[in-house]
């Protein structure tokens, strides 16, 4: 097998967050090219149409003008982003201008690396050729079964699996500098199909991995929706305990309509901290709402937050753990970051925050 047996996220050479918080330039910005998806996966909130409709969130593709505004705004930061992640809630390739987005971001010089994640429906030569030429650095391909029947069961989509394999082979042969990562949830396939998955794709990608389901989305019971009992972490690791969310200190997310979420898992739009159509990306990054949420976590009050309190990302997905450094980071944060004690953290019920003595 040519591919490395390796998760899609990079676990090596990570910056110790305790040495850099507060961060003036975000490491990662998620931008959602499309909030909708052609699949109806039982294990993903976006697949539950009625539930998503109840949130009132925009369902569709991001307008190119909004994307241009996002990228142009990044020029106000003191350094380029480490990663521009063109993915959040939906299928990125439903935005027909995805290649234009990549090219525009690349030419800006405001981000060092661009990646995306796809269900594989649209990785045809016609769609992938322009994306490769535009300069995409990495693509994560989610495989959701090894047969058409499994795809129909778990995604509600009549999927041509043989065509997917053919397209992946073409992509690998023509990828240039593009890194290809392929993963599958182990719960979707039989034990025998695990080896079949590796044999089918292992010579046609750069990294490959069999993941587990994880209860990463707040207020979405993946066990209830799938009938799968989750017993280990997403990468087969033991389930851990992390109390302080690290992601809000180095990343935030632009939804397809321009509303900005503090969290890339904010499918219900309960962690909105700004609107890029009316504010700059730098203004939102340093906003009172964003800092109120950070302060809430540093003060050990995450579980007072109606949304963050039941987030499985912190227990099942190997987040950076800054819990031990929280007192030091809280003191540093209070000294360096102006905060308004009257601004509540986004995420549900409001809990008064005590004002620290000077």
């Amino acid at each position: 097998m040519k591919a490395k047996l390796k998760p899609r996220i990079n676990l090596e050479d990570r910056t110790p967050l305790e040495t850099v918080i507060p961060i003036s330039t975000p490491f990662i910005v998620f931008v959602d090219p499309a909030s909708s998806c052609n699949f109806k996966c039982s294990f993903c909130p976006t697949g539950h149409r009625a539930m998503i409709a109840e949130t009132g969130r925009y369902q569709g593709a991001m307008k190119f003008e909004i994307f241009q505004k996002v990228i142009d705004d990044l020029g106000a930061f003191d350094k380029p982003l480490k990663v521009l992640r063109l993915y959040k809630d939906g299928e990125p390739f439903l935005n027909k201008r995805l290649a234009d987005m990549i090219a525009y971001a690349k030419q800006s010089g405001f981000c060092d690396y661009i990646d995306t994640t796809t269900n594989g429906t649209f990785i045809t030569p016609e769609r992938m050729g322009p994306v490769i030429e535009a300069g995409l650095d990495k693509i994560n391909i989610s495989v959701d079964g090894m047969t058409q029947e499994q795809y129909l069961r778990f995604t509600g989509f009549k999927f041509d699996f043989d065509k997917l394999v053919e397209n992946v082979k073409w992509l690998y042969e023509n990828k240039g500098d593009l890194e290809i990562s392929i993963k599958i949830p182990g719960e979707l396939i039989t034990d025998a199909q695990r080896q079949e998955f590796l044999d089918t794709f292992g010579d046609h990608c750069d990294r490959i991995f069999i993941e587990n389901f994880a209860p990463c989305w707040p207020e979405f019971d993946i066990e209830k929706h799938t009938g799968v009992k989750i017993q280990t972490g997403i990468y087969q690791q033991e389930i851990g305990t992390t109390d302080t969310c690290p992601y809000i200190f180095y990343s935030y997310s632009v939804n397809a309509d321009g509303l900005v979420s503090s969290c890339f898992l904010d499918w219900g739009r309960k962690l909105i901290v700004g609107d890029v159509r009316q504010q700059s990306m730098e203004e939102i990054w340093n906003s009172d709402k964003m800092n109120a949420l950070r302060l809430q976590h540093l003060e050990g009050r995450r579980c007072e937050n109606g949304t963050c309190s039941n987030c499985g990302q912190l227990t099942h997905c190997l987040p950076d753990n800054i819990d031990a450094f929280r007192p030091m980071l809280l003191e540093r944060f209070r000294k360096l970051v102006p905060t308004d004690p009257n601004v509540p953290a986004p995420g549900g019920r409001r809990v008064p925050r005590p004002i620290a003595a000077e």
Side-chain angles (χ1 to χ4, degrees), residues 298-313:
L298 288 178
E299 291 175 341
R301 299 185 298 110
R302 174 178 67 86
C303 290
E304 294 178 1
N305 189 301
T307 302
C308 299
S309 60
N310 65 345
C311 176
Q313 182 76 16

Side-chain angles (χ1 to χ4, degrees), residues 3-182:
K4 294 180 180 178
L5 194 62
K6 188 176 181 181
R8 55 195 155 121
I9 66 168
N10 294 319
L11 300 175
E12 310 88 9
D13 301 321
R14 298 180 70 84
T15 301
L17 293 178
E18 66 275 9
T19 66
V20 294
I21 293 174
I23 298 171
S24 59
T25 300
F27 290 171
I28 301 174
V29 171
F30 291 77
V31 177
D32 204 9
S35 59
S36 54
C37 187
N38 55 327
F39 281 13
K40 299 179 183 178
C41 298
S42 59
F43 48 86
C44 172
T46 301
H48 295 261
R49 303 289 195 264
M51 188 172 66
I52 291 299
E54 291 177 1
T55 69
R57 90 180 193 197
Y58 169 75
Q59 287 290 90
M62 175 178 280
K63 294 180 180 178
F64 191 67
E65 293 75 20
I66 294 178
F67 182 79
Q68 288 178 307
K69 166 71 162 52
V70 171
I71 299 304
D72 293 346
D73 280 1
L74 297 179
F77 289 110
D78 59 5
K79 62 183 72 171
L81 304 179
K82 290 180 181 289
V83 180
L84 175 66
R85 187 147 289 156
L86 296 181
Y87 169 74
K88 184 178 179 284
D89 294 316
E91 168 52 50
F93 280 86
L94 286 178
N95 192 315
K96 296 181 180 180
R97 299 202 66 179
L98 182 62
D100 294 332
M101 290 177 164
I102 296 167
Y104 190 85
K106 273 289 182 181
Q107 292 164 11
S108 74
F110 299 149
C111 51
D112 292 334
Y113 191 88
I114 303 175
D115 66 18
T116 192
T117 296
T118 177
N119 62 30
T121 309
F122 304 101
I123 55 170
T124 62
E126 294 76 21
R127 293 298 301 276
M128 281 305 306
V131 166
I132 295 170
E133 186 177 354
L136 184 67
D137 293 291
K138 182 183 178 185
I139 187 168
N140 301 299
I141 302 172
S142 298
V143 176
D144 295 313
M146 292 299 293
T147 66
Q148 187 177 94
E149 291 72 25
Q150 286 175 329
Y151 264 88
L152 191 60
R153 175 185 173 191
F154 290 108
T155 74
F157 190 84
K158 191 174 182 181
F159 191 75
D160 189 338
F161 181 77
D162 292 336
K163 190 65 176 178
L164 171 68
V165 175
E166 179 183 325
N167 284 336
V168 167
K169 290 180 178 179
W170 178 90
L171 178 60
Y172 187 70
E173 292 172 357
N174 296 275
K175 70 186 186 74
D177 294 329
L178 174 67
E179 182 181 13
I180 302 172
S181 175
I182 300 180

Side-chain angles (χ1 to χ4, degrees), residues 89-356:
D89 294 316
E91 168 52 50
F93 280 86
L94 286 178
N95 192 315
K96 296 181 180 180
R97 299 202 66 179
L98 182 62
D100 294 332
M101 290 177 164
I102 296 167
Y104 190 85
K106 273 289 182 181
Q107 292 164 11
S108 74
F110 299 149
C111 51
D112 292 334
Y113 191 88
I114 303 175
D115 66 18
T116 192
T117 296
T118 177
N119 62 30
T121 309
F122 304 101
I123 55 170
T124 62
E126 294 76 21
R127 293 298 301 276
M128 281 305 306
V131 166
I132 295 170
E133 186 177 354
L136 184 67
D137 293 291
K138 182 183 178 185
I139 187 168
N140 301 299
I141 302 172
S142 298
V143 176
D144 295 313
M146 292 299 293
T147 66
Q148 187 177 94
E149 291 72 25
Q150 286 175 329
Y151 264 88
L152 191 60
R153 175 185 173 191
F154 290 108
T155 74
F157 190 84
K158 191 174 182 181
F159 191 75
D160 189 338
F161 181 77
D162 292 336
K163 190 65 176 178
L164 171 68
V165 175
E166 179 183 325
N167 284 336
V168 167
K169 290 180 178 179
W170 178 90
L171 178 60
Y172 187 70
E173 292 172 357
N174 296 275
K175 70 186 186 74
D177 294 329
L178 174 67
E179 182 181 13
I180 302 172
S181 175
I182 300 180
K183 61 91 174 176
I184 192 171
E187 293 89 348
L188 301 185
I189 55 178
T190 66
D191 289 342
Q193 285 176 321
R194 288 173 171 255
Q195 187 59 51
E196 181 186 352
F197 166 71
L198 298 176
D199 292 341
T200 300
F201 295 103
D203 285 334
H204 311 291
C205 60
D206 300 292
R207 61 171 82 182
I208 192 168
F209 205 79
I210 299 174
E211 298 183 355
N212 292 335
F213 281 151
C216 53
W217 288 286
E219 302 180 330
F220 179 78
D221 191 338
I222 192 170
E223 292 186 337
K224 175 183 176 181
H225 288 293
T226 63
V228 173
K229 181 65 176 177
I230 297 173
Q231 298 178 325
T232 62
I234 191 170
Y235 304 120
Q236 290 96 47
Q237 83 280 9
E238 291 185 10
I239 297 172
T241 301
T242 305
D243 188 47
T244 315
C245 177
Y247 303 102
I248 56 176
F249 292 94
Y250 68 80
S251 68
Y252 60 160
S253 306
V254 184
N255 297 301
D257 58 356
L259 291 177
V260 179
S261 294
S262 60
C263 175
F264 62 98
L265 297 168
D266 183 28
W267 64 272
R269 304 300 186 264
K270 293 186 177 181
L271 296 170
I272 299 298
V273 291
D275 187 337
V276 76
R277 294 167 296 187
Q278 301 173 10
Q279 302 161 275
S280 73
M281 290 292 287
E282 184 183 39
E283 180 184 356
I284 298 170
W285 178 248
N286 296 306
S287 66
D288 288 335
K289 286 185 178 180
M290 195 76 184
N291 285 329
L293 184 63
R294 292 165 178 149
L295 205 53
Q296 184 181 60
H297 280 245
L298 288 178
E299 291 175 341
R301 299 185 298 110
R302 174 178 67 86
C303 290
E304 294 178 1
N305 189 301
T307 302
C308 299
S309 60
N310 65 345
C311 176
Q313 182 76 16
L314 299 184
T315 53
H316 290 68
C317 298
L318 288 180
D320 299 283
N321 195 326
I322 57 175
D323 288 350
F325 305 97
R326 198 163 62 201
M328 178 267 289
L329 291 173
L330 177 59
E331 181 179 0
R332 185 194 299 168
F333 197 85
R334 284 175 171 161
K335 287 181 179 179
L336 298 178
V337 179
T339 56
D340 184 343
N342 297 312
V343 175
R349 60 188 181 275
R350 177 174 179 172
V351 180
R353 175 167 61 82
I355 301 175

